[in-house]
Amino acid sequence: MTEATASAHPNIALVKYWGKNPDDQWLPITPSVSATLDTLTTTTTVRDASEDRVTLDGVEVHDAKIAHWLAQARTKFGLPSIAIATESNFPASSGLASSASGFAALAVAANEAFGLDLDFSALCELARMGSVSAGRSMLGGFVRLDPASNEQVVAQLHPRDHWPLRMVVAVTDPTQKRISSTSGMARSASTSSYYSSWIVDTGKDYRECIAALADRDFPRLSKIAESNCCKMHALMLSSKPPLLYWKPGTLAAMETVGKLQEDGLDVFFTIDAGPQVKAFCSPEVADIVQEELQVTPGVDHTINCGIGDGPSVH
Ligand code: 2P0
């Protein structure tokens, strides 16, 4: 039997991706920068089968996103019928980037199981065919995804030991979001009058973020990451009908981060297409950030992560 297992971690964007290239659904319209996490992990086993089957956390499902990926991957890379069994140690589809770790693990496992022998660029493409952000989980540390790059679209900016930041996730609602990122960003592109400004601003934020990371300049990174995140949520809110991913606990956790900043702590927030708040901070203050977020009203629980590595084959 042909079988392989691979693991990958989610990544959290410091400069966000929200919008596809209209001519290439596997490429974003803007560049983005992320940090790959440790602790949160998706592990996926693939093997050949008489028909496609998908099991998520032990339950057989029909997952439209995986079915779409299979159809694309079959056409482009000649995948046979496969059984996919995938498990994550964190909630799926709730703004914790489970599709990024999921499709990164799936691409690596499929490449291994079926001897596709893809180079890094093709392997990233296979991951991006599931979710664009999965391309960023193909590497550890600090990663950029630049659709206009003359070199690799996905590249590592720095390995994880360049800057051992921590990230505390304040989980305010672990249930699945109602509007997927794919449909949300299509709505923003077609209905928001802010969309063209978002594209221009994100290009600037991308360059600023890369400079802040290179210098390990926390105040500069904090300012650009919070600003870019808030611009993405303004874009979401300006879509018609509006996209509101926040819960009351999301705002309360943002306030907690703001109070900790006033106390002089190196911490900033970022929020994705879901209600969880991610607080990046220096390692010295991670425990106090976690304690304060844990007692914030509306926060269900917290998870404390470091910067992690790229995918691994078992
Ligand atoms: C990001 N997000 O840069 C942004 C911020 C969500 C908000 O990448 O349509 O699951 O599958 O390419 O990759 C989530 O979008 O979307 C995402 P598709 P994906 O992290």
Side-chain angles (χ1 to χ4, degrees), residues 1-55:
M1 183 190 292
T2 306
E3 182 176 307
T5 300
S7 293
H9 300 294
N11 67 81
I12 299 301
L14 298 161
V15 170
K16 310 291 189 187
Y17 142 61
W18 194 254
K20 291 183 194 295
N21 181 330
D23 301 321
D24 184 340
Q25 59 174 322
W26 305 327
L27 279 178
I29 190 81
T30 53
S32 56
V33 179
S34 60
T36 300
L37 303 177
D38 63 14
T39 306
L40 307 179
T41 307
T42 301
T43 300
T44 299
T45 298
V46 304
R47 58 182 168 76
D48 54 349
S50 54
E51 56 179 11
D52 292 336
R53 280 181 53 200
V54 180
T55 312

Side-chain angles (χ1 to χ4, degrees), residues 63-120:
D63 183 288
K65 222 167 162 168
I66 295 177
H68 185 64
W69 178 86
L70 277 167
Q72 310 277 321
R74 190 153 287 142
T75 307
K76 178 125 190 182
F77 297 108
L79 277 189
S81 295
I82 62 176
I84 300 168
T86 185
E87 291 189 6
S88 292
N89 64 353
F90 60 100
S93 303
S94 58
L96 282 172
S98 59
S99 63
S101 53
F103 283 107
L106 182 53
V108 172
N111 184 49
E112 188 73 16
F114 303 115
L116 302 180
D117 206 20
L118 302 181
D119 64 16
F120 180 71

Side-chain angles (χ1 to χ4, degrees), residues 11-12 17-18 63 65 90-100 103 130-131 133 136 171-185 187 232-233 236 243-247 250 271-276 278:
N11 67 81
I12 299 301
Y17 142 61
W18 194 254
D63 183 288
K65 222 167 162 168
F90 60 100
S93 303
S94 58
L96 282 172
S98 59
S99 63
F103 283 107
S131 262
S133 59
R136 298 189 311 234
V171 178
T172 61
D173 183 354
T175 58
Q176 295 214 350
K177 63 191 171 208
R178 280 176 294 134
I179 300 164
S180 71
S181 294
T182 308
S183 56
M185 63 182 79
R187 186 187 298 178
M232 180 183 73
H233 286 275
M236 291 163 164
L243 297 160
L244 175 60
Y245 287 106
W246 299 357
K247 300 279 174 180
T250 314
I271 306 159
D272 295 294
Q276 329 316 348
K278 290 99 179 194

Side-chain angles (χ1 to χ4, degrees), residues 158 162-163 208-221:
H158 306 285
H162 170 73
W163 200 2
E208 177 72 10
C209 181
I210 286 177
L213 282 174
D215 292 347
R216 290 189 286 263
D217 184 335
F218 197 95
R220 196 173 172 193
L221 181 65

